Amino acid sequence: MKNIRINQQRLWDSLMEMGEIGGTEKGGCCRLALTDLDKQGRDLFVKWCKEAGCSISVDQMGNIFARRPGQDNSLPPVAMGSHLDTQPTGGKFDGVYGVLAGLEIFRTLNEQGIETRTPLETVVWTNEEGSRFPPAMVSSGVFAGAFDLEYGLSRADLDGKTMGEELQRIGYAGNTQVGGRAFKAFFEAHIEQGPILENEQKQIGVVTDAQGQRWYEVTLTGQESHAGPTPMPSRRDALVGAARIVDLVNQIGMENQPNACATVGLMQVFPNSRNVIPGQVFFTVDFRHPDAQILAQMDQALREGAARIVEDLQLDMDFEQIWHSPPVPFDQDCVTSVRRATEELGLSHREMVSGAGHDACYIARVAPTSMIFVPCEKGISHNELERADADDLAAGCNVLLSAVLERANA
Ligand code: GLV
Ligand code: MN
Ligand code: MN
C-alpha cells in the first residue's frame, strides 16, 4: 500500500478542466461563490465523484460531501477538501487543488482496488473566499459552530442578495443539517500562496498553525459639496479621511513586522463624481498576525488612530469589526502524519504557518486537522497569474494520500 501513487496527469487535467469554468483571458479564474459558474463547477465535481462511485450529500449551507465507503461504515470518515469558489481575479489552484486532490485520491484507490477501514470524504466548503459574501470561510464556520445557520444564510453581497437566496437559486440549498458530522481527521491540501517554499526550494509545507485575522467595515460620512466653490478649510471630505486611515492601516502593518499583514482591499466612494467632494466612503480592513496579542494591539492602534483622524476632519465614523478568526494551532498528530508521509516519500519540506485563512481553520475546532502546502510560482495568488507546478501538486497529493491512508487504516 505504501508504494501507491496518484496520477499526476489526471490531477492536472482535472484542474485545467475545472479552471475553464470561469476561465479568464489572462489564464486565471473568476468563479465567485454561488454564481452560475460556481454551480457549473459544483455540478462537474459532483459528476466526477459519482463516476468514482461516491455518494453525495449537500448540507443547508451548500457544503458538498462526496463519500467513498470503507470497510466499516459506522466509523467516522477521514475527510479532505477545500473550496471551489475563487476571487474575482483568482487563479485555478487556490482551493480547487484541495478539492480535486481528494477526488484524485478516490480515483487512485478505485484503480488499485483499495478499500480503507473508515470511509473517506472529500468536502467542498461553500464561499471560502468571502469575496462576494463576507466573511471568509463562512460555511466551514457554520459547520464548526463558529456561526449559527441563520447568520450564514443571511450573509449578503453588495447587491443585497443573500447566501440563502443564491443557494436556492443555483440548486445547492441542501437538506442535511450543517455540522454534527464527525470526522476522524481532516486534511486540506493547498498552494502556499506565498514565496517561502519556492525561495527555499522546498516541495512540501508541513503546516503547523494558521495566523489570526480580524476584518472590519468602516463608513466615513462628511458632506458632499461642489468641488469648485467650497473653500478647502470648510470641507468635510470623507475620502481624505479614508486616505489617512488607509495610510494608518499600512503603518500598523509595517510597525508589527516581521509577521503582521494589513490591507484595505475594497473601497466605495459616494457619489463618485469628479467634481463633488466625497460625502461618504465605505471601505474594508483586513488585519492578520499569528500572535493573538499582537493582533489585539493592532486592533487598538486602528481604533485609536481612526478616531483621531475623523475628529480632526470632522467626519462621522461607523466602525465595525465584522469578523475575528483567532490564530489556529493544528492537531499535533495530524501534523505528524503529514511530516511522516513527506519523509517517507523523500520530499524536501519545512514547517510553516499559514498566512491565508482556510476552511481547515474552522474544522480544526471540531476534528483533528492539518494542512499540506505546495509551492506556487513567485508566491503569487489571488491573482490570475497564480501558477503551480504539476510535479509539486502531485507531490502534495501523494502526501495527502499517505496521511489519509494512515489515519483511515489506523
Ligand atoms: C482567504 O483566501 C483569505 O483571505 O485568506
Ligand atoms: Mn483557498
Ligand atoms: Mn483564497
Side-chain angles (χ1 to χ4, degrees), residues 82-83 85 93-96 128-129 188 190-191 193 356-359 371 381-382:
S82 191
H83 58 99
D85 66 313
F93 304 95
D94 173 2
V96 188
E128 186 274 349
E129 294 290 3
E188 181 168 355
H190 208 283
I191 56 167
Q193 307 186 276
H358 297 288
D359 294 304
M371 296 191 69
S381 181
H382 285 191

Side-chain angles (χ1 to χ4, degrees), residues 292-307:
Q293 230 174 332
I294 297 178
L295 193 58
Q297 286 163 15
M298 291 166 65
D299 171 88
Q300 204 186 343
L302 176 63
R303 287 172 195 273
E304 289 172 4

Side-chain angles (χ1 to χ4, degrees), residues 181-232:
R181 186 186 192 100
F183 293 149
K184 187 170 185 204
F186 179 77
F187 293 99
E188 181 168 355
H190 208 283
I191 56 167
E192 177 199 340
Q193 307 186 276
I196 297 172
L197 291 173
E198 187 182 72
N199 286 348
E200 297 186 5
Q201 301 197 338
K202 297 277 183 353
Q203 210 167 14
I204 300 291
V206 177
V207 187
T208 57
D209 299 81
Q211 64 182 346
Q213 302 189 49
R214 290 176 185 255
W215 280 16
Y216 307 84
E217 288 183 353
V218 186
T219 304
L220 300 183
T221 307
Q223 188 171 48
E224 303 84 286
S225 53
H226 200 300
T230 315
M232 295 303 290

